[in-house]
């Protein structure tokens, strides 16, 4: 994953982490047809987000436990995505 995608992935996770988001809102803000910026695809492939259909609200996106853990690890340490942790 490139540094650009990694940084955008963290931004996406922070944004979704603030509150559950309607699926349509997430797609409007984060879906791209650019093959070099697969931010949404990366988040879903890594299972950092979950989707559920909530009665009266519709499809909703939220952080998964692994998404919250990834966000905590990379934002707290100040590490950039892709950097190795020193032994």
């Amino acid at each position: 994953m490139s540094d650009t995608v990694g940084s955008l992935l963290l931004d996406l996770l922070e944004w979704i982490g603030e509150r559950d988001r309607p699926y349509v809102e997430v797609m409007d803000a984060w879906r791209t047809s650019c093959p070099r910026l697969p931010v949404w695809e990366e988040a879903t492939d890594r299972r950092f987000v979950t989707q559920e259909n909530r009665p009266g609200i519709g499809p909703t996106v939220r952080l998964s436990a692994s998404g919250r853990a990834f966000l905590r690890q990379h934002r707290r340490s100040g590490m950039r995505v892709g950097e190795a942790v020193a032994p």
Side-chain angles (χ1 to χ4, degrees), residues 16 20 35 41 58-59 74-75:
I16 293 172
D20 294 354
E41 292 81 2
H74 288 86
R75 284 299 190 207

Side-chain angles (χ1 to χ4, degrees), residues 3-84:
D3 284 345
T4 301
V5 172
S7 294
L8 289 171
L9 178 60
L10 289 171
D11 290 344
L12 171 64
L13 297 179
E14 282 185 333
W15 182 71
I16 293 172
E18 292 173 0
R19 63 179 172 83
D20 294 354
R21 304 279 180 168
Y23 178 81
V24 172
E25 181 182 351
V26 175
M27 290 299 96
D28 284 346
W30 289 95
R31 179 173 269 169
T32 177
S33 60
C34 178
R36 295 179 191 258
L37 295 174
V39 179
W40 171 251
E41 292 81 2
E42 188 75 28
T44 56
D45 288 350
R46 292 173 138 205
R47 297 187 175 144
F48 288 161
V49 295
T50 62
Q51 301 174 54
E52 67 179 65
N53 195 3
R54 296 170 72 185
I57 298 173
T60 304
V61 178
R62 68 173 33 174
L63 286 185
S64 67
S66 61
R68 286 190 299 277
F70 182 84
L71 185 58
R72 275 193 310 274
Q73 177 186 3
H74 288 86
R75 284 299 190 207
R76 249 191 231 151
S77 69
M79 283 177 35
R80 292 182 3 205
V81 176
E83 285 183 329

